[in-house]
Amino acid sequence: MERYHKTNVMGTMNMLGLAKRVGARFLITSTSEVYGDPLQHPQAETYWGNVNPIGVRSCYDEGKRTAETLTMDYHRGLNIEVRIARIFNTYGPRMCIDDGRVVSNFVAQVCEPMTVYGDGKQTRSFQFVSDLVEGLMRLMEGNHVGPFNLGNPGEFTMLELAKVVQETIDPNAKIEFRPNTEDDPHKRKPDITKAKQLLGWEPAVSLQQGLPMMVDDFRQRIFGDDKQDSGNLLTI
């Protein structure tokens, strides 16, 4: 886990140093994990978070929080032009099949039971990759430092997500429950009011629209199938 902290801290310092030398605008792609297991719902950028500094997830959570701190230190102290994006769960075509993220895990488990941790009632919000790219472009082209939440405020429990994937891929697919992981956040939903007002941005692709495109891509890469229209298979 040390490598995650080194990447977030030392990697950010190295890139900020490069931005200083060449006079570049610097973008830090932070994460909703800076909010930890939030006591505020939905989460606005003004919320400072609820993070366990010594937990199994803290190497990532605190690493990103430190990266934001370094970014603002360079901005205030050295006048480096910076932008901060807090990215919520994102999915879409060409994701790594085995990257461990919940949407790709469910889709890749098409031939085996889909794994839901805990009771499946913990919630997440899922944005399609094209919406994220649009948000990042608007952030970089605008005049506001941030931080900005970039995510889709549509909220789903893990069990609801599993059932959506089940209905999209195979209605007969099984769902398997396993013990929850340590420090897993109970809720996650972005307040994107700031991005709407200052960037003129909000997500345009719903989970119902985006998931079939991801499924088609995964199906083609895993099984070599020709692309099929999964849109008519999805109901929620």
Side-chain angles (χ1 to χ4, degrees):
M1 299 304 173
E2 180 186 8
R3 66 184 184 275
Y4 298 128
H5 203 76
K6 282 186 174 180
T7 298
N8 286 324
V9 178
M10 301 305 298
T12 299
M13 288 186 68
N14 290 338
M15 294 306 295
L16 283 165
L18 176 61
K20 178 178 180 292
R21 288 195 299 273
V22 302
R25 179 176 296 178
F26 177 79
L27 168 68
I28 178 70
T29 51
S30 188
T31 171
S32 60
E33 294 300 318
V34 299
Y35 299 124
D37 190 5
L39 304 178
Q40 174 181 300
H41 192 76
Q43 297 81 56
E45 293 87 349
T46 51
Y47 179 54
W48 290 356
N50 178 41
V51 176
N52 177 1
I54 59 172
V56 295
R57 302 168 63 97
S58 63
C59 57
Y60 182 66
D61 300 356
E62 297 288 27
K64 284 293 190 180
R65 287 162 69 94
T66 303
E68 288 193 19
T69 300
L70 289 169
T71 299
M72 288 306 298
D73 283 347
Y74 271 71
H75 172 62
R76 287 187 289 250
L78 298 173
N79 204 32
I80 305 301
E81 195 172 3
V82 302
R83 302 290 184 268
I84 302 174
R86 291 178 179 165
I87 300 173
F88 284 67
N89 289 61
T90 305
Y91 71 97
R94 295 190 293 278
M95 289 181 72
C96 292
I97 292 172
D98 59 352
D99 69 357
R101 298 173 188 272
V102 62
V103 180
S104 50
N105 277 356
F106 283 165
V107 174
Q109 288 178 317
V110 61
C111 295
E112 55 190 77
M114 291 183 288
T115 305
V116 173
Y117 292 95
D119 59 10
K121 293 181 180 179
Q122 61 270 44
T123 68
R124 296 293 185 273
S125 302
F126 304 98
Q127 71 175 331
F128 195 66
V129 61
S130 60
D131 286 329
L132 172 61
V133 171
E134 177 66 23
L136 292 173
M137 291 175 62
R138 293 194 183 204
L139 174 57
M140 286 299 284
E141 293 170 357
N143 298 316
H144 302 283
V145 170
F148 284 95
N149 288 337
L150 295 182
N152 192 317
E155 187 178 16
F156 296 85
T157 67
M158 292 298 94
L159 188 55
E160 286 173 338
L161 175 66
K163 289 181 177 179
V164 171
V165 175
Q166 181 187 50
E167 292 165 358
T168 306
I169 300 175
D170 179 4
N172 297 316
K174 295 182 179 180
I175 297 175
E176 179 178 275
F177 290 88
R178 293 186 183 178
N180 204 359
T181 55
E182 187 177 341
D183 291 339
D184 188 34
H186 291 88
K187 291 185 177 182
R188 183 77 82 234
K189 177 180 179 179
D191 182 335
I192 61 170
T193 302
K194 185 177 178 181
K196 285 182 178 180
Q197 293 176 345
L198 299 183
L199 303 181
W201 174 88
E202 63 181 310
V205 182
S206 68
L207 182 65
Q208 295 93 330
Q209 295 169 319
L211 189 59
M213 290 186 274
M214 179 177 175
V215 169
D216 286 342
D217 171 71
F218 269 51
R219 181 182 287 123
Q220 191 173 41
R221 285 191 285 154
I222 294 173
F223 301 110
D225 290 353
D226 291 333
K227 280 204 170 184
Q228 302 173 36
D229 180 10
S230 300
N232 293 330
L233 299 179
L234 184 61
T235 57
I236 182 171

